[in-house]
Amino acid sequence: MTVLGGCVATPIDLKKWPALSAYFARLRERPSVAKAFLEERALYAAQQKRKPRA
């Protein structure tokens, strides 16, 4: 899940792999996973504000 979540911040397009894309979509529907992604996104956004990319 961690690696798949990183696809949001990278140019990797999961549409090239339909089975993997479907699996990731099912994962995101789980309440615990959805909550984790929201929390991780907030942490990622805060980190980007502190240390912008060069």
Side-chain angles (χ1 to χ4, degrees):
M1 180 180 87
T2 301
V3 174
L4 292 173
C7 292
V8 175
T10 65
I12 297 171
D13 184 7
L14 290 180
K15 291 178 185 174
K16 295 178 184 179
W17 302 281
L20 190 55
S21 183
Y23 170 70
F24 190 44
R26 289 192 309 273
L27 275 179
R28 289 188 313 236
E29 292 175 3
R30 297 177 65 176
S32 58
V33 174
K35 180 182 176 192
F37 274 123
L38 285 173
E39 291 172 356
E40 288 176 2
R41 251 187 228 137
L43 292 171
Y44 178 75
Q47 176 65 22
Q48 292 303 305
K49 286 181 182 178
R50 284 194 302 270
K51 188 177 179 183
R53 289 183 174 176

